[in-house]
Amino acid sequence: MRTPVMVSVMPVPPRRPASLQGRVFRGSRVVAQGLLTRTELRSRAWRPLFRDVYADARLAVTHRTRCAAAARWVLPPGAAIAGRSAAALYGAASVADHEPIDVLVPAGTRFGPVSGLVVHTGAIAATDVAVRQGIPVTTPTRTCWDLAQWLPTEDAVAVVDRLANQRLVALPQLRADSRTWIGNRGWKRMARVAELADAGAESIPESRLRVRIVLAGVPTPVTQFVVERDGRFLARLDLAWPHLKVAVEYDGLWHDDPDQFHRDRRRLNRLLGEDWIVLHVTAKRFREDFDGFLAELRQALRSRSR
């Protein structure tokens, strides 16, 4: 009796037409053109982004890639990428590649829900939308308005800070505009965000820290305050109350870099000779013990006020 011979069959690699490699495309169109069958479209060679929208699985799909795909093949006429996604396209916010895309759809348009999109509806003027690298996106000013409505104040201000820091919006004009919107639904939120915003902020965490301090009733600090001695640079401080010589430094991820850590500590040690009080806040303490830090800050300010 013969022993059965086992034959291993290698899986057939998925077919990858050259015309689709590195591209995002509409599935139904390539099937109609005969480039792929529906079965082949479901292979590991292709990655679904939205319904009937696919990307080459070897393509690095970023948030911007998904925004462009949504704008081209998913959004209805008159809609635009908005909110945090719009800010990310302007380079003023960090949005993870997998996070949902904020979109603004004209009021009265029936659309959604769509997996991968956060759909907002509202009035959109023609002047509220710009085209950036082929993608319809709300203008920086309209983006600020939407951020003020859709996000907690602390988060909205942090993104508006970045837009202002990059000179995409001018805060005096934004504050003036917010006063002209009196009576419109949401104008108070916009006015509050515009008032709290500061173009000097250099990072999202620093912005959140500053806003939370101010909302707690502490006087507004100066951002990125430069300390000099006899006209020579000594240090630049994240947040400062110069007349009291009190400062707050946010210790972010850079503290894992020993060289940076020592440079900053040496820089801040110089301030001790200038009679400054410098408080430090880590990301962990900001999350878990903000009240304790706030008590220390208030004590420092009170001690100097005397």
Tab-separated table of all heavy atoms in Angstrom, residues 2 23 35 43 54 56 63 83 87 112 116 126 128 138 158 166 168 177 191 204 210 222 233 301:
chain	number	residue	atom	x	y	z
A	2	ARG	N	0.588	2.119	-0.936
A	2	ARG	CA	1.399	3.338	-1.043
A	2	ARG	C	1.034	4.361	0.038
A	2	ARG	O	-0.132	4.524	0.385
A	2	ARG	CB	1.206	3.994	-2.412
A	2	ARG	CG	1.834	3.209	-3.553
A	2	ARG	CD	1.724	4.025	-4.818
A	2	ARG	NE	2.444	3.391	-5.899
A	2	ARG	CZ	2.549	3.927	-7.115
A	2	ARG	NH1	1.971	5.096	-7.379
A	2	ARG	NH2	3.228	3.294	-8.059
A	23	ARG	N	-2.070	53.954	-5.027
A	23	ARG	CA	-3.200	54.868	-5.279
A	23	ARG	C	-4.359	54.604	-4.331
A	23	ARG	O	-4.476	53.538	-3.721
A	23	ARG	CB	-3.701	54.709	-6.714
A	23	ARG	CG	-2.778	55.275	-7.775
A	23	ARG	CD	-3.470	55.205	-9.130
A	23	ARG	NE	-4.800	55.799	-9.086
A	23	ARG	CZ	-5.789	55.477	-9.916
A	23	ARG	NH1	-5.594	54.577	-10.862
A	23	ARG	NH2	-6.967	56.067	-9.816
A	35	LEU	N	-10.333	45.967	-13.959
A	35	LEU	CA	-8.998	45.916	-13.373
A	35	LEU	C	-8.922	44.916	-12.230
A	35	LEU	O	-7.877	44.288	-11.999
A	35	LEU	CB	-8.589	47.308	-12.880
A	35	LEU	CG	-8.392	48.373	-13.957
A	35	LEU	CD1	-8.170	49.744	-13.337
A	35	LEU	CD2	-7.210	48.003	-14.850
A	43	SER	N	-9.028	41.295	-1.205
A	43	SER	CA	-7.771	40.659	-0.820
A	43	SER	C	-6.935	41.590	0.046
A	43	SER	O	-7.230	42.788	0.176
A	43	SER	CB	-6.976	40.254	-2.067
A	43	SER	OG	-6.347	41.390	-2.643
A	54	TYR	N	-10.991	52.505	-1.638
A	54	TYR	CA	-9.895	51.614	-1.238
A	54	TYR	C	-8.550	52.285	-1.493
A	54	TYR	O	-8.438	53.188	-2.315
A	54	TYR	CB	-9.952	50.300	-2.024
A	54	TYR	CG	-11.188	49.477	-1.747
A	54	TYR	CD1	-12.401	49.775	-2.381
A	54	TYR	CD2	-11.152	48.409	-0.863
A	54	TYR	CE1	-13.540	49.026	-2.121
A	54	TYR	CE2	-12.282	47.646	-0.603
A	54	TYR	CZ	-13.469	47.964	-1.232
A	54	TYR	OH	-14.599	47.218	-0.982
A	56	ASP	N	-4.185	51.213	-1.879
A	56	ASP	CA	-3.130	50.206	-1.936
A	56	ASP	C	-2.659	49.946	-0.502
A	56	ASP	O	-2.310	50.884	0.223
A	56	ASP	CB	-1.984	50.747	-2.797
A	56	ASP	CG	-0.838	49.752	-2.971
A	56	ASP	OD1	-0.777	48.763	-2.217
A	56	ASP	OD2	0.001	49.975	-3.861
A	63	HIS	N	-3.710	60.838	7.982
A	63	HIS	CA	-4.985	61.543	8.166
A	63	HIS	C	-5.295	62.388	6.933
A	63	HIS	O	-6.437	62.460	6.490
A	63	HIS	CB	-4.929	62.419	9.415
A	63	HIS	CG	-6.271	62.915	9.861
A	63	HIS	ND1	-7.208	62.108	10.462
A	63	HIS	CD2	-6.837	64.147	9.790
A	63	HIS	CE1	-8.286	62.807	10.745
A	63	HIS	NE2	-8.087	64.053	10.342
A	83	GLY	N	-12.936	71.572	11.621
A	83	GLY	CA	-12.517	71.289	12.989
A	83	GLY	C	-11.051	70.923	13.123
A	83	GLY	O	-10.168	71.507	12.507
A	87	ALA	N	-7.582	71.923	11.026
A	87	ALA	CA	-6.378	72.462	11.667
A	87	ALA	C	-5.162	71.589	11.363
A	87	ALA	O	-4.055	72.099	11.168
A	87	ALA	CB	-6.597	72.561	13.176
A	112	GLY	N	-24.958	60.938	5.971
A	112	GLY	CA	-24.450	60.202	7.111
A	112	GLY	C	-25.528	59.419	7.832
A	112	GLY	O	-26.696	59.456	7.444
A	116	GLY	N	-15.964	56.499	10.137
A	116	GLY	CA	-14.707	57.210	9.924
A	116	GLY	C	-14.860	58.711	9.838
A	116	GLY	O	-13.859	59.432	9.771
A	126	ALA	N	-19.785	80.814	1.250
A	126	ALA	CA	-18.736	80.526	0.268
A	126	ALA	C	-17.370	80.984	0.781
A	126	ALA	O	-16.339	80.351	0.502
A	126	ALA	CB	-19.059	81.218	-1.056
A	128	ASP	N	-16.333	80.753	3.720
A	128	ASP	CA	-15.899	79.897	4.830
A	128	ASP	C	-15.036	78.729	4.368
A	128	ASP	O	-14.513	77.987	5.200
A	128	ASP	CB	-17.111	79.323	5.569
A	128	ASP	CG	-17.840	80.359	6.405
A	128	ASP	OD1	-17.210	81.371	6.766
A	128	ASP	OD2	-19.037	80.150	6.693
A	138	THR	N	-12.347	74.212	5.687
A	138	THR	CA	-12.808	75.484	6.246
A	138	THR	C	-11.619	76.415	6.449
A	138	THR	O	-10.516	75.979	6.769
A	138	THR	CB	-13.527	75.266	7.591
A	138	THR	OG1	-12.695	74.489	8.469
A	138	THR	CG2	-14.859	74.566	7.394
A	158	ALA	N	-6.187	75.538	22.704
A	158	ALA	CA	-4.876	74.973	22.370
A	158	ALA	C	-4.654	74.939	20.861
A	158	ALA	O	-3.559	75.237	20.378
A	158	ALA	CB	-4.748	73.569	22.959
A	166	GLN	N	1.184	80.255	14.031
A	166	GLN	CA	1.628	80.113	12.647
A	166	GLN	C	1.106	81.232	11.754
A	166	GLN	O	1.240	81.181	10.535
A	166	GLN	CB	1.197	78.746	12.102
A	166	GLN	CG	1.852	77.593	12.844
A	166	GLN	CD	1.469	76.242	12.274
A	166	GLN	OE1	1.121	76.117	11.104
A	166	GLN	NE2	1.527	75.215	13.092
A	168	LEU	N	-1.813	82.064	10.912
A	168	LEU	CA	-2.949	81.722	10.051
A	168	LEU	C	-4.184	82.511	10.458
A	168	LEU	O	-5.098	82.695	9.659
A	168	LEU	CB	-3.222	80.214	10.113
A	168	LEU	CG	-2.111	79.349	9.498
A	168	LEU	CD1	-2.262	77.901	9.910
A	168	LEU	CD2	-2.130	79.480	7.980
A	177	ASP	N	-13.891	90.098	15.421
A	177	ASP	CA	-14.935	89.359	14.700
A	177	ASP	C	-15.936	88.743	15.668
A	177	ASP	O	-17.144	88.728	15.400
A	177	ASP	CB	-14.315	88.251	13.846
A	177	ASP	CG	-13.575	88.792	12.627
A	177	ASP	OD1	-13.791	89.975	12.284
A	177	ASP	OD2	-12.779	88.040	12.039
A	191	ALA	N	-16.124	83.981	21.639
A	191	ALA	CA	-15.501	85.135	22.300
A	191	ALA	C	-14.595	84.677	23.436
A	191	ALA	O	-13.501	85.228	23.636
A	191	ALA	CB	-16.582	86.079	22.825
A	204	ILE	N	0.850	72.349	22.420
A	204	ILE	CA	-0.518	72.070	22.863
A	204	ILE	C	-0.580	71.880	24.382
A	204	ILE	O	-1.443	72.465	25.051
A	204	ILE	CB	-1.077	70.830	22.124
A	204	ILE	CG1	-1.231	71.112	20.626
A	204	ILE	CG2	-2.395	70.389	22.741
A	204	ILE	CD1	-2.352	72.038	20.252
A	210	ARG	N	-1.875	76.602	30.504
A	210	ARG	CA	-2.156	78.035	30.691
A	210	ARG	C	-3.655	78.287	30.832
A	210	ARG	O	-4.093	79.020	31.728
A	210	ARG	CB	-1.617	78.832	29.493
A	210	ARG	CG	-1.759	80.340	29.644
A	210	ARG	CD	-1.500	81.075	28.362
A	210	ARG	NE	-2.626	81.040	27.448
A	210	ARG	CZ	-2.651	80.360	26.306
A	210	ARG	NH1	-1.599	79.653	25.925
A	210	ARG	NH2	-3.730	80.379	25.539
A	222	VAL	N	2.337	85.659	31.208
A	222	VAL	CA	2.995	86.007	29.948
A	222	VAL	C	3.625	84.732	29.394
A	222	VAL	O	4.270	83.979	30.131
A	222	VAL	CB	4.086	87.077	30.170
A	222	VAL	CG1	4.826	87.376	28.869
A	222	VAL	CG2	3.469	88.340	30.751
A	233	PHE	N	20.898	87.517	27.379
A	233	PHE	CA	19.874	86.483	27.561
A	233	PHE	C	20.241	85.536	28.688
A	233	PHE	O	21.364	85.036	28.762
A	233	PHE	CB	19.723	85.697	26.255
A	233	PHE	CG	18.782	84.519	26.363
A	233	PHE	CD1	17.417	84.677	26.185
A	233	PHE	CD2	19.275	83.249	26.636
A	233	PHE	CE1	16.560	83.588	26.282
A	233	PHE	CE2	18.431	82.163	26.720
A	233	PHE	CZ	17.072	82.327	26.550
A	301	LEU	N	2.485	83.014	44.242
A	301	LEU	CA	2.035	84.347	43.827
A	301	LEU	C	1.666	85.202	45.042
A	301	LEU	O	1.953	86.404	45.093
A	301	LEU	CB	0.828	84.213	42.876
A	301	LEU	CG	1.134	83.555	41.533
A	301	LEU	CD1	-0.163	83.303	40.756
A	301	LEU	CD2	2.075	84.428	40.690
